[in-house]
Structure formats: structure tokens, C-alpha cells
């Protein structure tokens, strides 16, 4: 489908398709911090993954007993531990460099963890409003992650995805792909003075409270995802596929 960048698109399009539009030489990897990694026992801020590898942590899985706690959009002062699972987004070559230099190992989440991530983390596509106060400033300058608790993982301008967009001055009509906790995404879509909502799952109002009905929801979600989903698509794509089935 072809969509005009200045008008909201049809909400029947899956977010998996939207992610493919925005990804532009970026991938999302699930990586475990090894026992001997220099990242263990340091804060996200001091780890400097953004500075060294132009990678960002979208979420962290922290194993505890028989469960893995999902922390979406962790703050800069969050202390990393050996065994933590990092959900990183970045250039594949830079991620490979980080794996080698920081003693990280690739990790395939269990079916159970895949399901839990789907209820914690989602994504929406937004259009920058013509009167937005973000115009003329970059994502980095506006401290989008700090202000909203969400990550912008893609930017499109004139139908073209941008590879290095963190320092790009935003313009009216730019579209952003935003990832983070469902609750914060729902809050962001209300800021219609800065953004125009392009796409999001139709069932978002059910996604957030459904965590309270997790056992039933997981059985439903299992049918959507399938055990082998992570063999064919990246983490957030799997989350989006589960959140917005075709």
C-alpha cells in the first residue's frame, strides 16, 4: 500500500508492516549480559551503549526464580546485572561489535517470556503536528525518552526512513515509530497538539488491563504468536504481531 505522509493511514495495516517501513538498517536483538561482562553492576548511563555503539535499550528482562521480570524503557540510573537480558535496537554491525566487546550472548526468549513482553511493550506510529513545539528540534534535544518514557526507534520523512535520525531537526509531517509501555503510549496519543496518531492496534484499550487477566490472555496470545515466532522475526516485530494480528 502507498500512504500519504500527511494523512493518517488505514488502521487495518499491521504494525509489523509499519516497523518494516521504519527500520532502515536497524535491528532489535535480545542479548544476555555474561558473568564477566563489563556491563554488570554499572548503570545504563555509565554503560554508554548509545555513545559507544549507537544502540539503545528498549527493555530489560531480569530472571528471578522461575520468572523473568520485564522492565520496559528502564531509566538511566538502572543498575545492570549479570544475567540480565537486554532488548537492544541499533545497527546490526554496531550490535555485533557490542556483543564482542562487552561479553554479551544472543538470547532467544522462551515462549512464556515472549507472551509477557507482548503485554508490556507495544508501538504506535505518530505524525508530527504542523503546530507541534517539537518542530525545529531533534529527538535528542527534546529528551523524548526522559520526558515520555518511550523510545523513538524510527523516523520517516517524505516517504523515506532515516538511518541516523536522533539529531535530525523535526519537521511538520515527519512520522515517528514509538516503542514502550502500553500505558505511556496511550498517554502520548492524547497529546494531539504535538502529534497526530497514524496507526496503533485497535484493541489497545484491552491490552493494558488484560495484564490483570494474564493466565487467560496468555492462552489467547499463544495462538497468535506460535512457539517458533522468534525464529522468523525480531522481538518487537513479534510483540507487534501479537498485539495486532492480521
Amino acid at each position: 500500500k502507498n500512504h500519504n505522509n500527511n494523512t493518517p493511514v488505514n488502521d487495518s495495516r499491521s504494525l509489523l508492516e509499519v516497523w518494516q517501513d521504519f527500520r532502515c538498517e536497524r535491528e532489535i536483538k535480545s542479548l544476555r549480559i555474561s558473568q564477566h561482562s563489563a556491563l554488570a553492576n554499572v548503570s545504563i548511563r555509565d554503560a554508554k551503549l548509545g555513545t559507544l555503539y549507537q544502540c539503545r535499550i528498549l527493555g530489560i528482562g531480569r530472571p528471578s526464580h522461575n520468572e523473568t521480570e520485564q522492565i520496559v524503557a528502564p531509566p538511566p540510573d538502572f543498575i545492570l546485572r549479570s544475567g540480565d537480558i537486554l532488548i537492544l535496537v541499533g545497527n546490526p554491525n554496531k550490535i555485533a561489535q557490542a556483543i564482542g566487546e562487552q561479553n554479551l550472548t544472543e538470547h532467544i526468549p522462551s515462549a512464556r517470556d515472549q507472551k509477557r513482553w507482548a503485554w508490556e511493550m507495544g508501538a504506535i506510529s505518530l505524525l508530527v503536528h504542523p503546530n507541534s513545539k517539537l518542530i525545529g528540534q531533534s529527538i535528542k534535544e527534546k529528551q523524548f525518552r526522559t520526558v515520555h518514557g518511550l523510545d523513538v526507534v524510527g523516523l520517516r520523512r517524505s516517504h523515506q526512513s532515516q538511518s541516523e535520525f536522533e539529531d535530525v531537526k523535526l519537521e511538520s509531517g515527519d512520522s515517528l515509530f514509538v516503542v514502550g509501555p502500553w500505558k505511556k503510549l496511550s498517554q502520548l496519543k492524547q497529546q494531539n497538539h504535538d502529534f497526530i496518531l497514524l496507526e496503533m492496534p485497535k484493541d489497545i484499550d484491552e491490552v493494558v488491563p488484560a495484564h490483570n487477566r494474564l493466565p487467560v490472555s496468555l492462552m489467547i496470545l499463544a495462538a497468535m504468536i506460535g512457539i517458533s515466532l522468534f525464529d522468523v522475526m525480531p522481538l518487537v516485530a513479534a510483540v507487534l504481531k501479537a498485539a495486532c494480528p492480521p
Side-chain angles (χ1 to χ4, degrees), residues 134-144 147 166-170:
L134 278 70
I135 293 175
Q137 300 186 66
S138 68
I139 296 296
K140 183 181 293 184
E141 288 173 337
K142 291 301 294 182
Q143 298 182 311
F144 197 95
V147 173
E166 287 83 358
D167 293 313
V168 171
K169 306 292 186 183
L170 294 176

Side-chain angles (χ1 to χ4, degrees), residues 119-149:
W119 293 113
E120 299 291 345
M121 180 164 60
I124 58 177
S125 176
L126 299 170
L127 192 74
V128 177
H129 193 283
N131 298 321
S132 173
K133 58 181 179 292
L134 278 70
I135 293 175
Q137 300 186 66
S138 68
I139 296 296
K140 183 181 293 184
E141 288 173 337
K142 291 301 294 182
Q143 298 182 311
F144 197 95
R145 169 76 171 266
T146 301
V147 173
H148 300 290

Side-chain angles (χ1 to χ4, degrees), residues 170-236:
L170 294 176
E171 298 179 0
S172 172
D174 285 349
S175 51
L176 310 176
F177 194 68
V178 184
V179 174
W182 283 112
K183 183 176 181 180
K184 291 185 181 295
L185 289 171
S186 183
Q187 293 170 350
L188 185 65
K189 73 169 185 172
Q190 304 301 323
Q191 299 188 22
N192 52 20
H193 56 284
D194 283 323
F195 306 108
I196 299 171
L197 178 65
L198 290 179
E199 300 187 49
M200 70 184 308
K202 296 178 181 179
D203 57 349
I204 185 169
D205 292 333
E206 299 177 6
V207 170
V208 177
H211 185 74
N212 296 326
R213 307 188 302 275
L214 193 57
V216 174
S217 300
L218 291 186
M219 289 189 291
I220 297 172
L221 192 61
M224 297 179 188
I225 298 181
I227 296 175
S228 63
L229 186 59
F230 273 79
D231 294 334
V232 296
M233 62 180 66
L235 179 65
V236 166

Side-chain angles (χ1 to χ4, degrees), residues 93-113:
N93 294 329
K94 291 292 186 178
I95 290 180
Q97 182 183 351
I99 290 173
E101 295 179 356
Q102 300 295 337
N103 288 315
L104 304 174
T105 58
E106 293 198 40
H107 170 264
I108 299 178
S110 68
R112 180 183 177 87
D113 287 341

Side-chain angles (χ1 to χ4, degrees), residues 38-49:
L39 298 181
N41 302 315
V42 301
S43 68
I44 292 176
R45 180 185 294 106
D46 292 338
K48 299 181 178 178
L49 294 177

